[in-house]
Amino acid sequence: MGGKQSHSFSNKELNEVSVSQRRRSAVRDDQPSLSSAAERIRRHATVHFGYSTLSLAMRGLGETPAELWELREVQKLNLSMNCLCSLPPTLSALDNLVILNLWGNNLSSLPPEIGLLKKLRVLFACRNRLSEVPEELGSCTCLEVLSLANNQITGLPGSLAAMHNLTKLNLSHNRISHIPTCVYSMKGLVFLHLACNRLETIADQIQDLVNLKILIVEGNSIHTLPKTLCFLESLELLNVDFNDLQNVPMELYLLSRLGRLACHPLDKGLHIINNPLLKPIQEVLQGGLSALYNYLKPT
């Protein structure tokens, strides 16, 4: 959603917006306020696939122009790869936002007012400095894609259990030691990414995610897989590489859609070989996934 460079702000224009802000703050109340800065921003919005789109990506912004929040018609906003440390409460004024990209900033928190963005369907807040997520985010019940990867998050608020439309959740590269309870209520999840956290177990409630097709938990410290995981009949990719698994549940053969042992990170199938698996499982796996399934099936 980055948009073309030709439609983005130039650094000169951003400086002009900043100067305009300072001038406006000095104008007496009895003088008419100018909206030239807001209009200048509006001219750089484009219509992309039917959505009003504005990109301010990669502009070295330490703060957002105040006039930005006047542009209520904007539906896709890209603020990625800047130097933003916070977002103002006036973010909520953009109540038509469908996609918000905050990737690659220095945000330590998200404003509670983000919960007022009722139309929001996609939120990228990865590669920031977030240690928590506001309860109010749970009010964004239209969210379909949520990426909070590469932060310092240890958990999620229970309010996110209301996100029944969420299909993709990326919590990889954080500090999560237990899969947040609210995740098991996100029945629409198709993709769940929890790689490179501090997980040691997966709760039995994982079976509630009946639509899950991709589950990635590589790079944790998981020492056992629950047998309820094997009831996820839609699962096509299960990545448990680089954990502490010594064995697998006998019911694993039920995951018929995995199809094969996989090596490349994006390949569908079962990723498991980089674990301290004990014999005979380790030896059986040399014959591929079908050999493992034949071994596990009851006779």
Side-chain angles (χ1 to χ4, degrees):
M1 66 154 287
K4 297 180 180 179
Q5 286 292 321
S6 60
H7 297 302
S8 298
F9 255 157
S10 68
N11 290 330
K12 178 181 178 182
E13 287 173 315
L14 285 174
N15 289 334
E16 290 174 356
V17 170
S18 181
V19 170
S20 176
Q21 286 180 228
R22 293 195 293 271
R23 287 176 178 171
R24 287 179 60 185
S25 66
V27 174
R28 297 196 309 270
D29 291 339
D30 60 342
Q31 290 181 322
S33 61
L34 302 177
S35 59
S36 59
E39 289 298 330
R40 192 177 299 119
I41 297 175
R42 180 176 283 116
R43 287 200 300 269
H44 289 270
T46 62
V47 176
H48 188 63
F49 291 107
Y51 291 94
S52 176
T53 303
L54 178 63
S55 176
L56 296 178
M58 297 185 290
R59 295 298 171 183
L61 295 176
E63 60 183 16
T64 53
E67 290 83 0
L68 170 61
W69 313 115
E70 299 177 29
L71 307 182
R72 289 190 57 194
E73 72 274 15
V74 172
Q75 296 170 291
K76 294 184 178 182
L77 178 60
N78 188 350
L79 292 169
S80 65
M81 299 183 70
N82 280 293
C83 305
L84 301 175
C85 294
S86 63
L87 294 173
T90 44
L91 166 72
S92 62
L94 299 189
D95 52 5
N96 286 305
L97 273 185
V98 175
I99 298 178
L100 177 58
N101 189 347
L102 303 171
W103 181 84
N105 279 281
N106 296 317
L107 297 172
S108 58
S109 65
L110 297 175
E113 290 78 9
I114 198 170
L116 297 175
L117 302 178
K118 302 298 185 182
K119 297 180 181 180
L120 197 63
R121 297 209 306 262
V122 177
L123 174 59
F124 297 117
C126 39
R127 292 194 181 277
N128 278 280
R129 299 180 180 178
L130 301 175
S131 58
E132 60 183 6
V133 177
E135 288 271 352
E136 291 79 2
L137 185 61
S139 297
C140 298
T141 54
C142 288
L143 265 181
E144 299 172 6
V145 178
L146 175 59
S147 179
L148 298 167
N150 294 91
N151 279 286
Q152 302 167 18
I153 295 171
T154 57
L156 296 177
S159 62
L160 270 60
M163 291 184 174
H164 299 304
N165 291 308
L166 201 66
T167 60
K168 296 181 180 180
L169 177 61
N170 190 343
L171 296 170
S172 63
H173 297 271
N174 276 287
R175 302 176 180 178
I176 299 171
S177 56
H178 298 90
I179 297 178
T181 304
C182 64
V183 171
Y184 299 118
S185 297
M186 299 172 180
K187 300 299 198 306
L189 278 183
V190 174
F191 173 95
L192 178 57
H193 199 339
L194 284 156
C196 300
N197 275 283
R198 300 174 180 179
L199 301 176
E200 294 185 4
T201 60
I202 298 175
D204 287 341
Q205 295 99 303
I206 192 71
Q207 67 180 328
D208 294 338
L209 301 181
V210 294
N211 293 302
L212 203 61
K213 292 185 178 181
I214 297 176
L215 175 59
I216 304 173
V217 290
E218 67 173 320
N220 282 280
S221 300
I222 299 171
H223 48 78
T224 185
L225 297 175
K227 70 176 183 179
T228 55
L229 174 65
C230 306
F231 302 150
L232 299 179
E233 297 180 356
S234 298
L235 209 58
E236 298 175 356
L237 190 159
L238 174 59
N239 190 336
V240 293
D241 268 349
F242 299 102
N243 277 280
D244 295 329
L245 295 174
Q246 295 185 353
N247 215 324
V248 297
M250 296 294 293
E251 296 81 3
L252 191 68
Y253 71 90
L254 296 173
L255 298 177
S256 58
R257 294 196 179 186
L258 291 183
R260 59 173 180 170
L261 288 181
C263 296
H264 190 279
L266 298 180
D267 283 347
K268 291 183 179 180
L270 176 63
H271 302 249
I272 194 174
I273 56 175
N274 294 296
N275 280 278
L277 295 165
L278 299 176
K279 296 179 180 180
I281 296 298
Q282 184 184 53
E283 296 175 339
V284 171
L285 276 172
Q286 294 178 8
L289 189 63
S290 58
L292 175 63
Y293 281 7
N294 289 332
Y295 173 80
L296 295 175
K297 285 180 183 178
T299 54

